[in-house]
Amino acid sequence: MPELPEVETIVRSLRNPENDLLKDEQSLRGRSGIIGKTIHDADLRWLRTLATPEPEVFQQRITGQNILSVDRRGKFIVMTLDAGTLLFHLRMSGDLRVESQTQPVQTHDRLIINFVDKQRLVFNDTRKFGRVWLVDEVSEIFANLGPEPLDPKLTGEDLYESWSRSTRMIKTLLLDQSLLAGVGNIYSDEALFRARIHPSTPGRFLTVEKCDQLLAAVREVLEEGIRRNGASIDWVYRGGDFQNYFKVYQRTGEACEICGTPIERLVIGQRSSHFCPHCQL
DNA sequence: ACGAGCGCCTGTCGGC
DNA sequence: TGCCGACAGGCGCTCG
């Protein structure tokens, strides 16, 4: 489930849920802030979930540390500790929740971080693709990450610079985290629809104007996603409702809301792309 | 430099 | 009912 808006929603709720824009109690279920909490220990229930360091080193290094801040970089969740940084990547099915240690452990809980106040942070990940890192320097992990799409300093010209010499399809370029960090399969399809760009357009065919429009569309859909607390589909429910506002994603065969042409699906770069063949050129 | 294919995993859904 | 393939929000690898 998690692309930039879903990760951002989780980060905000971990930071200070009482100030969240979340409207109903449902969305706040099981969530509370973790900033300032002290880690007692960790329970790693699926070995490969921990990318680095070795489990014993992780356990020893994390004990007694305070969580100073919770932030987001691309699709990564970044927790600054007294010494070092704890990073989470949710990949396809990861989720983080905060609850009392008296709650029963759930089926797909992969890493449990217990706090001294008897609360805990739980990394639940059905498909086991998610990863956790404890590092001294985040640059080790972020070295290859592109700019933040919502950074006001980023311009359409910057994207034109990184895309315009490429023969790769724009859909693939949008998903390339080294060029732009945080956009995934849903938001790339939705942004391309809004910018009226066909997903298989080669990067080199895009003008500066098109890049401007696409960046604006990317920001539009990301901001709407954040405003709606992300999208919730399948069995992963978190209270967001952006899925009710998709214009093309997983709407193959349905009428385009602009022109009525059936939405088509095309596999690009091993990922499904949804688009209107009439509106997107 | 690029795309295709596959691995990593579990779960759901539709067709037969 | 059960089995089987397709597919799912991501990303890293190898191989042409």
Side-chain angles (χ1 to χ4, degrees), chain A residues 7 9-15 17 29-45 49 58 62 65-71 77-81 85-90 94-106 108-125 131-133 238:
Chain A
V7 176
T9 300
I10 293 173
V11 163
R12 290 183 185 186
S13 72
L14 291 174
R15 206 182 273 151
R29 184 173 33 132
R31 303 194 176 281
S32 65
I34 59 167
I35 291 174
K37 286 189 190 293
T38 305
I39 296 170
H40 182 270
D41 65 356
D43 179 10
L44 180 63
R45 307 174 66 84
T49 293
F58 179 77
I62 207 164
Q65 296 227 40
N66 297 302
I67 296 184
L68 304 182
S69 62
V70 183
D71 292 290
I77 293 165
V78 184
M79 296 185 193
T80 305
L81 309 179
T85 306
L86 192 55
L87 300 174
F88 294 82
H89 197 302
L90 309 177
D95 190 16
L96 281 173
R97 62 176 202 277
V98 179
E99 64 191 11
S100 161
Q101 288 171 25
T102 60
Q103 293 297 115
V105 167
Q106 293 180 22
H108 305 299
D109 290 347
R110 308 303 181 193
L111 175 67
I112 301 176
I113 293 178
N114 292 304
F115 299 115
V116 296
D117 68 357
K118 301 301 175 193
Q119 293 285 110
R120 67 186 177 206
L121 175 69
V122 183
F123 181 56
N124 183 279
D125 182 23
R131 291 291 179 269
V132 178
W133 299 256
R238 76 161 53 277

Side-chain angles (χ1 to χ4, degrees), chain A residues 86 162 188 265 268:
Chain A
L86 192 55
S162 61
S188 57
R265 175 181 178 274
I268 295 175

Side-chain angles (χ1 to χ4, degrees), chain A residues 140-202:
Chain A
E140 309 163 27
I141 312 291
F142 294 163
N144 227 13
L145 263 193
E148 287 291 325
L150 297 179
D151 180 348
K153 291 194 289 293
L154 182 71
T155 67
E157 304 228 356
D158 295 333
L159 294 179
Y160 178 78
E161 270 308 299
S162 61
W163 292 341
S164 65
R165 278 174 297 278
S166 179
T167 58
R168 299 167 68 195
M169 294 177 268
I170 186 58
K171 167 74 184 216
T172 310
L173 294 170
L174 277 175
L175 293 180
D176 188 333
Q177 303 297 298
S178 72
L179 303 178
L180 192 63
V183 177
N185 210 31
I186 293 176
Y187 295 90
S188 57
D189 278 7
E190 294 297 318
L192 287 168
F193 174 78
R194 282 163 178 79
R196 301 182 143 246
I197 298 169
H198 194 287
S200 64
T201 307

Side-chain angles (χ1 to χ4, degrees), chain A residues 261-278:
Chain A
T261 305
I263 301 301
E264 288 184 13
R265 175 181 178 274
L266 200 61
V267 176
I268 295 175
Q270 328 285 99
R271 312 296 300 280
S272 59
S273 281
H274 312 79
F275 63 99
C276 170
H278 180 260

